[in-house]
Amino acid sequence: MTNNESQAKVGSSWRKAGVLACGLSLAVSAFSGFALLAHGSLLAQEMEAKPGMSDKPGSLKPDSLKPGVKSPEMKGEMEAMDGPSMKAPEAKVPGAKAAGGGDDLPARVKPATNKPGVRTAASDPVVQFINESLRQGWKDNDVEPSPMADDAEWIRRVYLDIVGRIPSAEEVQDFIADKSKTKRSELIEALLEDPGYVRNFTTIWTNLCIGQRTPRRVSRTGMQKFFREGFAKNRPWNEMVFDLVSAEGHFEKNGATNFILAQMQDNDDGVQLTAKTTRLFMGMQVQCTQCHNHPFNEWKQDQFWQFNSFFRQVRKMDHQKLDPRTGRQVDDYSEVLFRDFSGPVFFEKRSGLMQVAYPIYLGAEVDASEGVDRRTELAKLMTSGERPLVATAYVNRMWGHFFGYGFTRPVDDMGPHNPSSNPALLDRLSDEFVKSGYDSRQLIRWIANAEAYSLTSRGIKKNERDNPAAGETPLFSHIYVKPMRAEQLYDSLIVATNAHKTGRAGWEQSEEQRQEWLQQFVQAFGTDDNEESSGFDGTIPQALMMMNGPLTRDAVALKPGSHLAEVLAGKGNERQKLNILYLSVLSRMPTAAEWARFQKYASSSGGNLIPVYQDMFWALLNSNEFIFIH
Amino acid sequence: MSIFQPDGMSRRHFVRHLAATAATIPALEFISHVRANAAELKKNQKSCILMWMSGGPPTIDIWDLKPGSKNGGEFKPISTKGDLQISEHMPKTAQVMNHLSVVRAMSTREADHGRGTYFMHTGYVPNPTVVHPSFGSVVSYELGTKRKELEIPAFVSIGGGREGTGPGFLGMSNAPFVVDSNGGIRNADLNGVSASQLGRRLDMLGSVEEGFINSQRGESGQSHKEIYQKAVNLMTSKQMDAFKVAQESPETLARYSPTPNGNAMGGGMGGISGFGRGLLMARRLVESGVPFVEVDFGGWDLHNDVFNSLKNRMLPQLDAGISALVTDLKERGMLDNTVIVWMGEFGRTPRINQNTGRDHWAASWSTMIGGGGLRGGVAVGETDSDGIAVASGKSYLPGDIWATAAHALGIPLDTVHTSKRGRPMKIANGGTPIKELIS
């Protein structure tokens, strides 16, 4: 067994520091046996992903769709959903004091119809605070909120945001038919208990911590296991951050170590790890201060290195094993170990002067002598206190997850140089989040039950100015359109098409197929987790993949088991079948104009409607309305 | 009418329009005149072909030999048509070296594959605050957008698409369009969908898209439509023929390959080499007006058995490919408009290791550049007699190579791009065109 230590020796470590941002390093030669990052080993590792307890799309039941069954109700619903005639459903904001709560509403958000069952009930003072705070912002900026989203628009959005996929046609129909006045809140609760919630947030945090392409010597499976267990048990977020920052051990036995391993790709004395930890968990961007004082924020160069000194006890160990078939050494596991390190770190000022930095966290000094586990000390400091940055950063990111924009842009660059657009709201939510015991589900409950989240994404004249895509400060007077992430798109395609049921069987194969598709998709998109994107940043290869790729091909090919084949073979007339296809893909009924259009195609098809349905289904799957969350 | 009508006027529309307005000129004659001008215009369009030697080529065995040194290895230098000597295993290239120059004083610091790939492609060292565009994306941004008649992407990467070669903050519309050396484009095949069926699909799609675009939901819906329009244009474009290397004559195909056997298309290394086929495709793409083509040639990470690998496998392909490309471009009058750049992520150690290999070395190595009106046949700078250091005083960075290319392509060197966070970035990282190469 060969062990490969990737940490530089203590004495000379400062010489090599600074490689990352400012490139002070000299030629480094002879890294024997290095394999290119982009090579196939990555793919192989991706495909090893094993089915986990909650990775299965357990709640997907598209095969139980019953076309035609609900036809009488659907007809009525369809009229209500036709674009121009769409009425704003009840917008009453329920409060603890139900009598007083709604009466203060400005006339314009008062219920336009008596359509029942659309309240996002929230007798919670935090939700009320959010509502009041945002309404104040609308008033101050002279904008008005868009009307409430109808059920079809809302259910699609809440499924994508919480469980990471669109609802099936059946789920949409059931929800629309549900007469409960509190059905939106009930659905939020149900989705938070759905395995899809765990899977969705596991995906999001795995991508944030180790990237969409797994770096060398990092276990994606291990990282996923850590988050899956954490989100399934609803572990307090500060405990999860504590584990991530202080992790030691085998990269699959303690999956939290993979966050650290992924930031140790370069032999850089923890520079990358310093920058990523502050950015991801504390919402602070300190990368630039590695080499110089920051021109706009309060971070100073010595603070970067003080922070960095907490990470100097990390030792990464890569193990190898003998492959009995080839007789060669191949990668085995990696682990994070404690490295004896004490005293200050050294760094170079721009003037060339050497300086020292001791472990100090936002003014709190930690004993720099031997035997003190600095990362554990850091993890304690980061995750305790009245309103630690760890809480604020998480709240801001979670808000951004649901609304497309956080209170700062980007969500992970907070501080006096980039003030929050609504400090009172962000602070209150952070305080409540801490008081709740860092309860992720509670935080989502507050956000998703807020009035603003239930609005339509259609803008109105009176909130035209609320356009963050044009650089304006978001006021959340309507929902902002955002593109699906790769995983959301894939899982939604599966819900809409059942394409995975055609030909290949078994969870393992499905998962393999999913990983393959995602790899190609990531390459085609070249996504960059540093930049939030509000627009469509797609590429030609991505469009080609959607138009002609195997998944779409299988979806429209009428293979046995596919959703399209089942719908077309099932009961119901032409209109009912078209309704199901629209519900499956766009979570809504076709408008009258769309139905008329379909009839026109049908009449010129020479009696063979099958290809017309196929082409229609293809068009829906390729549409902007499908690929965006709105 | 479909909203996906390809850009530009149809020929019939053009003729009809013309008949009404330019009655004094016989219409067809006029059209053929316009066409000839267009062809002439394309010829004069500047382009760049990057030959990317993935893995890090041992330039001490190719462009800057050290006979008499313990580091010299097995190969001997030979004279060329230019004012410099190169490896004896590059005899065909030696005959065209009057058109190509070698920069022997590269000193680039980055000796890791990932970082070197990034640094050489962008001119910038990796930085966690920003992703820089590769030079191909810069050319796509600067020249591609101006070529309205171009229906295929402005930056094509044949067999590449590695990390660090992307568009960075210039955005995905300037991303490399990656194809394999057979010209295969993933998912561009219609799989039996007829033109009329595609038409109906696009028509249906168009109405769904319009509905969303007109729903007061911002600009995203429109950008989606535009990307799809480009993809459809690509699928149906005549310019797609540029990817079909098989349309070339067997003789031409053979010239790009080390083995005199031109009938084994698609047979991997059995017939024409992947690299040679890639270069031939690059020539066809440049003829169609594509301003930047990268051709990826891997297998240079020669930690073991460097000399046998070079003389039996790598150099014959390199030699045939480079010489055929230069000859072809010259014959077609395109060499003065086509910049050729040859580089890898770094060079390799002058010292030969115990496995008769060479390891990573960034302190003193060579790149090759020519065409595009740059001076050929010159060796710029030099290394010491053992090849372990730059001996000429001045050393060069990738930014200097790309500044030289930018100069030849007519892209102003004071061009500044702004990152998404508002940070100004000089083109080629503020590098300087190499004066020995500028006539």
Side-chain angles (χ1 to χ4, degrees):
Chain A
M1 191 168 70
T2 325
N3 294 333
N4 216 345
E5 287 191 34
S6 69
Q7 186 65 298
K9 294 284 175 290
V10 184
S12 63
S13 62
W14 62 268
R15 280 180 217 281
K16 283 184 186 165
V19 186
L20 228 133
C22 299
L24 299 169
S25 75
L26 300 167
V28 185
S29 65
F31 283 87
S32 301
F34 190 99
L36 261 184
L37 240 167
H39 279 178
S41 59
L42 268 182
L43 205 65
Q45 198 174 355
E46 275 289 326
M47 290 194 294
E48 273 169 27
K50 293 286 183 299
M53 49 180 274
S54 46
D55 259 1
K56 284 180 193 178
S59 63
L60 311 190
K61 288 172 286 187
D63 30 357
S64 57
L65 277 174
K66 296 177 283 285
V69 170
K70 292 178 194 257
S71 48
E73 280 165 41
M74 274 159 45
K75 208 170 168 190
E77 282 291 337
M78 199 184 68
E79 256 119 50
M81 278 190 276
D82 268 1
S85 66
M86 193 183 73
K87 296 272 165 50
E90 187 178 19
K92 188 173 169 186
V93 178
K97 292 156 255 159
D103 286 346
D104 305 330
L105 284 176
R108 55 184 177 265
V109 286
K110 282 215 166 150
T113 69
N114 289 323
K115 199 161 177 284
V118 291
R119 291 200 300 198
T120 42
S123 55
D124 190 302
V126 179
V127 176
Q128 283 185 46
F129 185 85
I130 298 174
N131 293 347
E132 280 155 24
S133 174
L134 292 183
R135 264 191 244 134
Q136 191 60 47
W138 300 335
K139 207 174 146 199
D140 294 347
N141 289 280
D142 195 26
V143 305
E144 289 181 15
S146 285
M148 284 281 236
D150 63 31
D151 281 347
E153 183 183 349
W154 186 84
I155 188 185
R156 186 177 194 275
R157 177 195 309 160
V158 77
Y159 262 76
L160 281 163
D161 285 343
I162 298 182
V163 296
R165 62 168 177 90
I166 58 168
S168 68
E170 194 188 37
E171 285 162 337
V172 177
Q173 284 168 298
D174 287 350
F175 185 69
I176 290 173
D178 187 348
K179 298 289 181 231
S180 162
K181 289 201 172 189
T182 52
K183 67 177 179 181
R184 289 198 181 183
S185 288
E186 285 160 20
L187 182 60
I188 291 167
E189 285 307 315
L191 294 179
L192 286 173
E193 294 306 319
D194 189 292
Y197 157 74
V198 175
R199 176 184 159 111
N200 187 29
F201 282 86
T202 295
T203 301
I204 291 168
W205 278 97
T206 300
N207 287 345
L208 284 171
C209 284
I210 66 172
Q212 278 178 304
R213 302 186 207 204
T214 315
R216 282 192 80 225
R217 293 304 207 149
V218 173
S219 163
R220 183 162 221 97
T221 320
M223 190 84 263
Q224 285 170 330
K225 183 165 160 270
F226 172 79
F227 282 116
R228 196 162 57 230
E229 288 172 3
F231 286 117
K233 289 183 193 146
N234 201 27
R235 290 186 65 199
W237 177 247
N238 60 338
E239 279 184 18
M240 288 169 76
V241 173
F242 185 97
D243 286 0
L244 289 162
V245 172
S246 62
E248 270 183 26
H250 188 294
F251 73 170
E252 267 159 10
K253 289 176 188 146
N254 179 9
T257 52
N258 289 290
F259 166 70
I260 288 167
L261 292 173
Q263 321 312 322
M264 294 187 67
Q265 295 297 299
D266 297 327
N267 199 1
D268 69 353
D269 288 324
V271 163
Q272 188 81 255
L273 183 55
T274 308
K276 187 80 169 188
T277 304
T278 51
R279 202 180 100 194
L280 197 54
F281 302 122
M282 296 160 63
M284 293 175 83
Q285 305 229 357
V286 299
Q287 307 91 323
C288 307
T289 58
Q290 181 198 342
C291 309
H292 50 80
N293 292 344
H294 199 286
F296 343 106
N297 78 26
E298 77 281 23
W299 273 75
K300 298 278 179 279
Q301 192 186 2
D302 53 351
Q303 284 178 293
F304 180 92
W305 293 103
Q306 287 166 0
F307 209 98
N308 171 266
S309 72
F310 284 103
F311 294 105
R312 292 300 183 90
Q313 293 169 329
V314 180
R315 200 174 95 188
K316 175 187 170 194
M317 183 94 84
D318 291 333
H319 297 268
Q320 293 195 305
K321 63 181 175 191
L322 195 73
D323 181 343
R325 283 178 309 143
T326 61
R328 286 191 187 167
Q329 292 288 327
V330 294
D331 285 0
D332 195 8
Y333 67 97
S334 295
E335 65 181 325
V336 174
L337 299 172
F338 179 81
R339 185 173 74 105
D340 219 3
F341 178 91
S342 59
V345 299
F346 299 89
F347 67 96
E348 192 176 332
K349 285 265 184 198
R350 274 195 158 177
S351 59
L353 275 177
M354 292 309 297
Q355 301 272 310
V356 295
Y358 286 92
I360 302 174
Y361 172 82
L362 305 178
E365 235 170 291
V366 168
D367 185 359
S369 52
E370 227 170 297
V372 177
D373 183 345
R374 294 186 184 182
R375 274 196 298 135
T376 303
E377 294 306 312
L378 172 69
K380 280 185 207 158
L381 288 166
M382 278 174 72
T383 58
S384 58
E386 257 179 49
R387 189 199 297 149
L389 291 169
V390 162
T392 318
Y394 189 69
V395 167
N396 196 30
R397 190 180 285 279
M398 191 66 96
W399 186 275
H401 172 78
F402 281 88
F403 285 102
Y405 294 92
F407 298 106
T408 59
R409 297 171 70 173
V411 289
D412 53 9
D413 187 10
M414 305 167 76
H417 65 290
N418 186 22
S420 155
S421 62
N422 192 335
L425 181 52
L426 180 56
D427 287 354
R428 172 75 188 268
L429 275 175
S430 307
D431 290 345
E432 295 291 344
F433 178 58
V434 173
K435 271 197 257 168
S436 75
Y438 292 83
D439 182 339
S440 295
R441 284 188 188 158
Q442 183 56 51
L443 179 61
I444 292 175
R445 222 170 263 136
W446 287 324
I447 294 173
N449 275 299
E451 176 191 13
Y453 186 68
S454 69
L455 302 177
T456 175
S457 51
R458 288 169 187 262
I460 57 172
K461 198 94 201 139
K462 292 288 280 187
N463 62 28
E464 243 173 15
R465 278 185 301 125
D466 180 12
N467 183 7
E472 302 293 331
T473 304
L475 296 167
F476 311 105
S477 66
H478 58 97
I479 287 290
Y480 310 121
V481 170
K482 51 189 192 265
M484 290 190 198
R485 283 177 291 103
E487 295 86 358
Q488 283 172 315
L489 181 54
Y490 183 84
D491 294 340
S492 297
L493 279 168
I494 293 303
V495 173
T497 66
N498 266 357
H500 66 309
K501 292 211 174 153
T502 54
R504 297 199 207 182
W507 166 251
E508 294 251 347
Q509 264 179 320
S510 304
E511 184 56 24
E512 205 170 288
Q513 224 172 339
R514 181 175 191 259
Q515 291 303 335
E516 242 176 71
W517 192 91
L518 288 174
Q519 278 305 305
Q520 195 188 332
F521 188 93
V522 170
Q523 270 170 13
F525 264 59
T527 43
D528 170 9
D529 73 333
N530 289 319
E531 302 292 340
E532 60 185 309
S533 105
S534 54
F536 178 73
D537 209 14
T539 60
I540 293 175
Q542 182 249 339
L544 291 173
M545 192 169 160
M546 289 295 292
M547 285 195 281
N548 308 321
L551 200 61
T552 313
R553 216 160 56 225
D554 288 352
V556 301
L558 290 178
K559 288 193 181 171
S562 73
H563 185 51
L564 185 65
E566 286 182 357
V567 172
L568 297 190
K571 286 191 202 130
N573 60 27
E574 286 166 23
R575 179 146 197 184
Q576 284 158 352
K577 285 179 181 169
L578 188 71
N579 287 349
I580 294 287
L581 295 187
Y582 267 78
L583 281 169
S584 307
V585 182
L586 303 182
S587 316
R588 67 167 175 89
M589 296 288 202
T591 62
E594 284 167 334
W595 165 240
R597 216 180 155 77
F598 180 80
Q599 282 177 300
K600 227 175 65 198
Y601 289 120
S603 66
S604 60
S605 68
N608 185 9
L609 279 183
I610 302 288
V612 184
Y613 283 116
Q614 285 178 300
D615 292 348
M616 195 69 228
F617 196 50
W618 181 94
L620 295 175
L621 290 171
N622 275 284
S623 68
N624 44 16
E625 189 174 345
F626 174 69
I627 207 169
F628 287 112
I629 306 174
H630 43 84
Chain B
M1 196 179 96
S2 168
I3 57 161
F4 287 104
Q5 199 77 44
D7 286 331
M9 281 187 284
S10 72
R11 184 184 151 89
R12 216 172 66 197
H13 177 89
F14 189 35
V15 173
R16 220 178 334 148
H17 183 69
L18 201 72
T21 55
T24 51
I25 312 167
L28 289 172
E29 191 188 314
F30 182 77
I31 286 171
S32 65
H33 184 65
V34 169
R35 289 236 164 113
N37 273 349
E40 193 57 37
L41 201 72
K42 261 182 205 167
K43 235 189 197 177
N44 291 327
Q45 280 179 337
K46 305 283 185 183
S47 299
C48 180
I49 296 173
L50 167 62
M51 305 180 194
W52 179 255
M53 304 297 115
S54 178
T59 55
I60 191 171
D61 299 312
I62 307 170
W63 306 116
D64 187 14
L65 282 78
K66 294 296 168 191
S69 163
K70 61 186 185 307
N71 296 333
E74 295 179 5
F75 301 162
K76 293 181 182 63
I78 53 168
S79 293
T80 68
K81 279 199 169 177
D83 193 16
L84 74 171
Q85 291 192 317
I86 62 172
S87 170
E88 59 180 323
H89 296 290
M90 299 284 282
K92 292 177 187 162
T93 304
Q95 296 306 305
V96 297
M97 277 313 286
N98 49 325
H99 301 299
L100 306 171
S101 293
V102 174
V103 181
R104 284 178 172 163
M106 298 302 294
S107 187
T108 57
R109 301 191 300 240
E110 299 294 344
D112 165 279
H113 290 289
R115 295 177 64 86
T117 300
Y118 188 99
F119 188 42
M120 295 306 293
H121 274 86
T122 64
Y124 288 85
V125 291
N127 179 321
T129 60
V130 62
V131 182
H132 302 92
S134 65
F135 191 73
S137 294
V138 169
V139 172
S140 160
Y141 182 81
E142 290 295 326
L143 301 184
T145 42
K146 291 179 189 145
R147 299 191 182 172
K148 299 295 174 208
E149 76 289 352
L150 189 66
E151 292 164 346
I152 50 182
F155 175 11
V156 175
S157 170
I158 300 165
R162 296 164 197 282
E163 225 161 325
T165 67
F169 58 78
L170 289 181
M172 293 310 286
S173 55
N174 296 296
F177 185 74
V178 181
V179 300
D180 64 36
S181 68
N182 289 312
I185 297 168
R186 226 169 181 177
N187 301 320
D189 191 346
L190 287 168
N191 296 302
V193 173
S194 69
S196 68
Q197 196 185 2
L198 180 65
R200 180 164 73 188
R201 284 181 171 187
L202 295 176
D203 194 43
M204 288 171 165
L205 176 61
S207 65
V208 182
E209 298 254 303
E210 282 300 310
F212 189 75
I213 289 166
N214 296 326
S215 70
Q216 284 84 49
R217 285 182 163 107
E219 299 298 311
S220 322
Q222 180 65 28
S223 342
H224 183 268
K225 190 184 100 171
E226 282 162 14
I227 289 286
Y228 264 65
Q229 180 134 22
K230 278 193 195 167
V232 170
N233 281 347
L234 178 88
M235 275 156 61
T236 54
S237 170
K238 194 84 187 97
Q239 292 173 4
M240 288 291 276
D241 280 356
F243 292 103
K244 295 175 187 155
V245 174
Q247 291 179 348
E248 295 285 332
S249 72
E251 294 74 37
T252 307
L253 283 163
R255 276 197 291 121
Y256 280 80
S257 173
T259 46
N261 172 11
N263 59 8
M265 278 300 298
M269 296 310 221
I272 180 171
S273 78
F275 178 60
R277 202 159 46 213
L279 287 182
L280 185 49
M281 196 189 304
R283 192 213 77 206
R284 291 170 65 88
L285 288 163
V286 164
E287 278 178 301
S288 298
V290 175
F292 197 97
V293 184
E294 175 167 350
V295 183
D296 192 292
F297 183 17
W300 294 99
D301 200 11
L302 299 166
H303 292 284
N304 308 305
D305 199 20
V306 57
F307 302 109
N308 284 326
S309 305
L310 285 177
K311 75 176 174 225
N312 298 331
R313 188 157 53 86
M314 305 304 284
L315 295 187
Q317 292 185 65
L318 190 66
D319 187 40
I322 293 176
S323 57
L325 178 70
V326 171
T327 308
D328 248 14
L329 290 173
K330 182 74 187 156
E331 279 172 6
R332 287 158 193 262
M334 293 162 62
L335 187 59
D336 283 347
N337 290 313
T338 310
V339 181
I340 296 169
V341 176
W342 179 101
M343 58 167 63
E345 50 266 55
F346 36 69
R348 307 200 74 86
T349 43
R351 198 182 72 85
I352 299 159
N353 69 22
Q354 70 273 24
N355 300 321
T356 332
R358 297 188 191 266
D359 302 316
H360 302 185
W361 185 256
S364 51
W365 61 292
S366 305
T367 57
M368 185 269 278
I369 183 168
L374 296 170
R375 183 170 296 148
V378 180
V380 178
E382 58 180 331
T383 50
D384 64 17
S385 59
D386 288 326
I388 57 172
V390 170
S392 47
K394 179 156 179 51
S395 65
Y396 297 91
L397 293 171
D400 300 321
I401 302 294
W402 293 125
T404 309
H407 172 88
L409 292 167
I411 300 173
L413 284 157
D414 54 5
T415 304
V416 170
H417 300 119
T418 308
S419 81
K420 284 182 182 162
R421 287 166 203 257
R423 200 160 146 188
M425 303 275 177
K426 285 183 192 159
I427 194 171
N429 197 4
T432 318
I434 297 169
K435 63 177 191 307
E436 289 89 334
L437 301 179
I438 296 169
S439 328

